Amino acid sequence: KNQVEQSPQSLIILEGKNCTLQCNYTVSPFSNLRWYKQDTGRGPVSLTIMTFSENTKSNGRYTATLDADTKQSSLHITASQLSDSASYICVVICVYGGSQGNLIFGKGTKLSVKP
Amino acid sequence: GAGVSQSPSNKVTEKGKDVELRCDPISGHTALYWYRQSLGQGLEFLIYFQGNSAPDKSGLPSDRFSAERTGGSVSTLTIQRTQQEDSAVYLCASSLELARVSPEQYFGPGTRLTVT
């Protein structure tokens, strides 16, 4: 069964600190992996999209890694800011659509950045 | 350059009433998705459209849920005889094509449905 598991479920860090969020998946056949940021009361916004051949991709203070062999991805946030407080969702795209139109969502990690 | 819009932004309804939620995708986007997000939960896929066609409706939670898309643009999600467990945020997203060809997917702000 195609699944995406994220950890931790929630995380509290102090402003300025770094953190790493984890995503493990069992999606096959794999197409690409995305990290989304969802602010409270808003729709998710894409941070990075990584294909099978990409190991790392950065978007400002956000750096995503992908290990296609172990089926793991991480999202590293550097020098956190209060505005980073949000839910971070890992989404894996399967080549074949099935009933979900290809997208398999994790439940997200809720990050709180405190001053 | 409007993004995906959804209406209403908030809807409070009494149990047993029907509700209709609307999604306006980005112009030219052929693929449209509906998701449900309950409090503290991840996104639950409901249905997707390629053009006006929904190839698979098995993601809809019950036969009280239906969706349609007309003119390859606006989509409506209808929930009949609402129940309290239907309370959630309903999110719509659109993309140029289906995700398997890796287009970016853009989400709307969602409709928060509360069934009392």
Side-chain angles (χ1 to χ4, degrees):
Chain A
K1 181 182 178 182
N2 288 329
Q3 284 187 313
V4 176
E5 301 286 342
Q6 290 188 244
S7 61
Q9 198 170 39
S10 62
L11 182 62
I12 300 174
I13 62 173
L14 292 176
E15 186 179 12
K17 297 296 186 183
N18 303 337
C19 67
T20 300
L21 314 180
Q22 300 290 344
C23 173
N24 297 335
Y25 61 93
T26 57
V27 176
S28 181
F30 174 91
S31 174
N32 60 80
L33 183 146
R34 309 172 185 186
W35 282 93
Y36 284 86
K37 178 187 179 188
Q38 186 177 21
D39 292 312
T40 301
R42 309 289 293 271
V45 175
S46 178
L47 294 174
T48 64
I49 299 176
M50 300 179 73
T51 60
F52 182 89
S53 60
E54 294 176 299
N55 299 120
T56 185
K57 183 168 276 191
S58 292
N59 178 2
R61 294 179 297 102
Y62 301 102
T63 299
T65 65
L66 174 64
D67 186 333
D69 291 330
T70 62
K71 299 187 176 180
Q72 296 180 324
S73 176
S74 66
L75 180 69
H76 186 74
I77 305 174
T78 304
S80 61
Q81 300 176 0
L82 298 179
S83 59
D84 293 332
S85 295
S87 286
Y88 291 84
I89 303 170
C90 176
V91 183
V92 181
I93 288 70
C94 182
V95 172
Y96 302 120
S99 65
Q100 295 191 31
N102 309 95
L103 290 88
I104 316 297
F105 283 80
K107 294 192 176 192
T109 291
K110 186 173 175 62
L111 175 66
S112 297
V113 181
K114 303 294 186 184
Chain B
V4 178
S5 61
Q6 294 185 244
S7 62
S9 55
N10 280 283
K11 177 72 176 178
V12 180
T13 189
E14 292 181 353
K15 177 181 172 181
K17 300 286 188 183
D18 297 351
V19 295
E20 201 170 87
L21 312 180
R22 177 186 168 109
C23 172
D24 279 273
I26 293 172
S27 178
H29 280 194
T30 62
L32 184 149
Y33 304 76
W34 281 100
Y35 299 92
R36 178 169 71 174
Q37 189 172 35
S38 302
L39 187 64
Q41 299 296 310
L43 273 76
E44 175 190 4
F45 171 82
L46 297 179
I47 192 170
Y48 78 96
F49 290 88
Q50 179 65 7
N52 291 334
S53 173
D56 192 324
K57 299 180 180 179
S58 60
L60 294 173
S62 78
D63 59 8
R64 297 185 294 105
F65 287 71
S66 63
E68 64 176 18
R69 189 180 186 195
T70 55
S73 181
V74 172
S75 176
T76 55
L77 177 70
T78 302
I79 309 173
Q80 296 178 309
R81 305 182 302 281
T82 52
Q83 304 294 313
Q84 287 186 329
E85 61 262 28
D86 299 334
S87 296
V89 175
Y90 290 82
L91 288 161
C92 174
S94 73
S95 60
L96 278 172
E97 296 181 58
L98 278 181
R100 64 171 169 268
V101 293
S102 300
E104 183 58 83
Q105 194 181 53
Y106 298 88
F107 282 83
T111 292
R112 180 176 296 279
L113 175 66
T114 304
V115 182
T116 60

